[in-house]
Amino acid sequence: MRGGFPDSFLAESDTESFAFRRNFIRTYLERDVPQFGRRIPAKTLERLWTMLAHSQGTLLNASKLASGLSVSTPTVTGYIDLLVDLLLVRRLRPFHANTGKRLVKSPKVYVRDSGLVHALLGIDDYNALAGHAVVGASLNISK
């Protein structure tokens, strides 16, 4: 539920853990990402990251994400590349097997830390997680 960050995992309460994770997300987007040279609006990147959390473990559809963000598909791909480079998101390449000529070429996308998935989705306790659609995928994080 709390993820793998020590300060979040070892927090005295779920409220403190959730606050740490929300602050981490805000700080990362507003302070750390701009230090890498690319000027990306923090709100846009947070919306993308939240959209990726909602689609945890599913096939990447960059054009659908792009239309939701009102940006181009190559822009979304570049933003996802940045999140992958920062080790915040994992892109799992498909296994290409030509079985009946049904190839899946789209990668699956995972937010690497389950605690961040829950914070991005506003899930702050087990009861909220149990009733959410992402419950199975959020706990099945690809290594």
Side-chain angles (χ1 to χ4, degrees), residues 12-92:
E12 292 189 20
S13 69
D14 286 341
T15 306
E16 287 180 23
S17 173
F18 187 74
F20 168 81
R21 288 177 276 140
R22 289 302 307 168
N23 288 335
F24 174 84
I25 291 167
R26 186 175 345 102
T27 301
Y28 214 90
L29 292 173
E30 293 175 359
R31 187 186 67 198
D32 295 345
V33 171
Q35 290 180 355
F36 290 97
R38 293 185 62 182
R39 179 64 193 125
I40 301 171
K43 280 290 184 197
T44 303
L45 199 56
E46 183 176 10
R47 284 180 55 213
L48 174 63
W49 206 1
T50 303
M51 292 168 85
L52 292 174
H54 275 286
S55 60
Q56 180 83 345
T58 61
L59 295 176
L60 174 62
N61 186 345
S63 61
K64 182 179 173 185
L65 295 172
S67 67
L69 292 171
S70 300
V71 297
S72 68
T73 302
T75 301
V76 166
T77 304
Y79 291 173
I80 292 173
D81 288 342
L82 176 65
L83 292 173
V84 168
D85 290 344
L86 296 174
L87 301 176
L88 298 171
V89 170
R90 177 166 179 106
R91 190 178 336 185
L92 184 63

